Amino acid sequence: MTGEARTVEMRTTATEAPAGEWTKGPAEARTADPAGERLRRWRLVLGGETADGTGHALSGRDAAMDDALTALYGKDDAPRTGRERAGGLGASAPSVARWLGDIRTYFPTSVVQVMQRDAIDRLGLGTLLLEPEMLEAVEADVHLVGTLLSLAKAMPETTRETAREVVRKVVADLERRLAARTRATLTGALDRSARVRRPRHHDIDWNRTVAANLRHYLPEHGTVVPERLVGHGRASRSVPKEVVLCVDQSGSMASSVVYASVFGAVLASMRAVATRLVVFDTEVVDLTERLDDPVDVLFAIRLGGGTDINRALAYCQSRITRPADTVVVLISDLYEGGIRDEMLKRVAAIKASGAQFVSLLALSDEGAPAYDREHAAALAALGAPAFACTPDLFPEVMAAAIEKRPLPIPDAWAGADSPR
């Protein structure tokens, strides 16, 4: 998308008003002059000192909104002063903090977060995120955490604690949103996956019992006489399942890294699951010992660099002790910088050992990611289809893997990249 197209798109998004009163004038004025309201909205969408032909002048709150939009989506990238129409927030953290305060006043949180990301990308605000007053003003979300992680090496000590508080807030929000459902879903899957031969009546798995005793069907009675009952076991104090999260920490995977760290901490808190978290670029780092604090995990991660999936999988494979009870989850866009054929052989070997293998192209809410389609097709040919997964779907994916049943692949990915 060109810069001009992006400007129009975001001005349009910011000036549509389904979320409240943040772009609206007095209700009676809108009712009395709907044509004027349309011109007003077009003026906010188009921007421009001369109103771009609408003939509608802005004042008050509308003018302030227009200034906030123009600072980011002005037609010229060169910084300007005063009320000249140009993209730029200047070079000082105070002016950026004021701008952040303005957009939080005029726009809803969802739009504020998009504008923040665009400001970081378009205006080079990454370095300003190293200043505490900037971090205190910003609207914290997963994308901001990814930016902070990418800047961690350059972050001065005076800013580091503020950055940790921002990250801790986002992580706490994610845990509140995801932890309860994840534990409930996986606890049920663990109970069902632990089969017993002499179940109590309320623990009998009737579907599996019938399937296991079909040869004992009595046609004259129209029934099956079971010789063996199959039941749902109860997750014991032992560790029946092992989960290995193998996460690509290249720069494009920032949101996935954040979510994977939170899920890793949640899984590690479950006594019935032994969880290992491995992150990689061209190097492999095992962060399992830090899983009690996902914030520590995130600050131990260094986003960027190349990608050697084969090397990472080799490490994970070496840590598998009970393949039949192990689920390996690779989270990567599959742009392999290592040895492609060896990577595929490694996946085939992990599956052949009896371990479950799940390949996620992304673990985020950002929609379809960019990924290596050739490698995805090769994994599909091995019986390990790769697909993007939202955080809300992840517990269901893990439950299916634990129970060794088909994965709940979203319809958008069903059949995608399958071998032709």
Side-chain angles (χ1 to χ4, degrees):
M1 181 181 292
T2 66
E4 184 175 351
R6 177 62 174 169
T7 297
V8 172
E9 179 196 30
M10 274 309 304
R11 278 183 172 271
T12 303
T13 299
T15 54
E16 291 173 344
E21 297 297 316
W22 43 281
T23 67
K24 300 178 181 180
E28 58 273 16
R30 294 197 306 276
T31 303
D33 187 15
E37 175 65 12
R38 285 195 296 271
L39 285 175
R40 169 184 167 274
R41 288 171 180 268
W42 273 113
R43 171 61 183 83
L44 286 168
V45 168
L46 295 172
E49 188 67 37
T50 59
D52 283 337
T54 66
H56 186 92
L58 299 178
S59 62
R61 184 181 179 88
D62 287 346
M65 286 174 56
D66 187 56
D67 284 345
L69 289 166
T70 298
L72 179 56
Y73 301 111
K75 294 181 179 179
D76 188 348
D77 288 337
R80 303 289 180 88
T81 60
R83 290 180 58 83
E84 287 187 76
R85 293 303 203 236
L89 298 176
S92 67
S95 67
V96 175
R98 283 193 298 272
W99 179 79
L100 287 167
D102 287 344
I103 65 175
R104 292 168 70 180
T105 298
Y106 302 131
F107 307 107
T109 299
S110 59
V111 173
V112 168
Q113 291 174 350
V114 173
M115 292 178 75
Q116 286 178 173
R117 295 199 297 272
D118 283 350
I120 291 167
D121 294 337
R122 290 168 63 91
L123 304 179
L125 298 186
T127 55
L128 291 181
L129 288 176
L130 303 181
E131 303 189 23
E133 60 268 32
M134 173 74 169
L135 288 177
E136 292 170 359
V138 79
E139 188 77 37
D141 68 351
V142 170
H143 302 90
L144 176 62
V145 171
T147 301
L148 291 176
L149 296 182
S150 69
L151 297 171
K153 289 182 180 179
M155 193 174 293
E157 194 61 38
T158 55
T159 306
R160 190 173 297 276
E161 190 54 39
T162 304
R164 287 183 70 90
E165 288 306 311
V166 171
V167 173
R168 194 176 302 281
K169 175 184 176 183
V170 174
V171 168
D173 288 343
L174 291 177
E175 285 187 308
R176 280 193 293 271
R177 169 188 159 192
L178 301 170
R181 183 183 174 199
T182 300
R183 292 192 183 101
T185 301
L186 295 191
T187 298
L190 289 164
D191 285 348
R192 290 188 295 272
S193 68
R195 304 295 165 183
V196 295
R197 293 185 177 183
R198 295 182 179 179
R200 297 177 181 177
H201 184 270
H202 61 272
D203 285 336
I204 295 174
D205 184 334
W206 290 107
N207 289 334
R208 288 177 177 256
T209 296
V210 170
N213 291 276
L214 285 177
R215 60 179 175 175
H216 304 302
Y217 176 69
L218 300 179
E220 65 273 20
H221 296 288
T223 188
V224 170
V225 178
E227 288 190 354
R228 180 169 66 89
L229 298 177
V230 180
H232 301 304
R234 297 296 175 189
S236 66
R237 293 187 179 181
S238 61
V239 179
K241 294 294 178 181
E242 297 182 3
V243 173
V244 181
L245 298 177
C246 185
V247 185
D248 185 344
Q249 65 174 354
S250 56
S252 61
M253 300 295 293
S255 295
S256 298
V257 168
V258 176
Y259 280 116
S261 298
V262 172
F263 276 118
V266 173
L267 292 172
S269 71
M270 300 179 64
R271 299 176 65 181
V273 181
T275 306
R276 183 176 297 276
L277 177 65
V278 177
V279 299
F280 67 94
D281 41 34
T282 54
E283 300 295 325
V284 180
V285 180
D286 192 327
L287 297 177
T288 304
E289 297 301 319
R290 302 192 183 204
L291 276 176
D292 59 330
D293 186 346
V295 176
D296 279 347
V297 169
L298 288 169
F299 273 92
I301 288 171
R302 295 293 179 262
L303 292 174
T307 308
D308 193 337
I309 302 173
N310 175 57
R311 184 174 185 177
L313 290 179
Y315 176 85
C316 294
Q317 187 180 24
S318 70
R319 295 300 185 272
I320 297 174
T321 57
R322 297 184 293 121
D325 295 318
T326 299
V327 178
V328 178
V329 183
L330 172 65
I331 304 174
S332 172
D333 54 17
L334 301 181
Y335 287 109
E336 171 66 315
I339 306 173
R340 174 186 184 275
D341 291 342
E342 288 298 316
M343 176 192 76
L344 296 176
K345 289 179 181 177
R346 193 82 59 186
V347 173
I350 291 173
K351 287 180 62 64
S353 71
Q356 298 296 104
F357 189 90
V358 178
S359 179
L360 301 181
L361 301 169
L363 178 57
S364 73
D365 289 308
E366 296 179 346
Y371 64 98
D372 191 306
R373 294 180 178 276
E374 183 180 352
H375 288 160
L379 288 178
L382 294 174
F387 58 97
C389 176
T390 64
D392 289 337
L393 181 62
F394 185 74
E396 300 295 336
V397 170
M398 292 303 301
I402 286 172
E403 294 183 66
K404 300 184 179 180
R405 53 182 170 82
L407 300 178
I409 300 174
D411 292 340
W413 293 94
D417 302 306
S418 58
R420 303 297 193 264

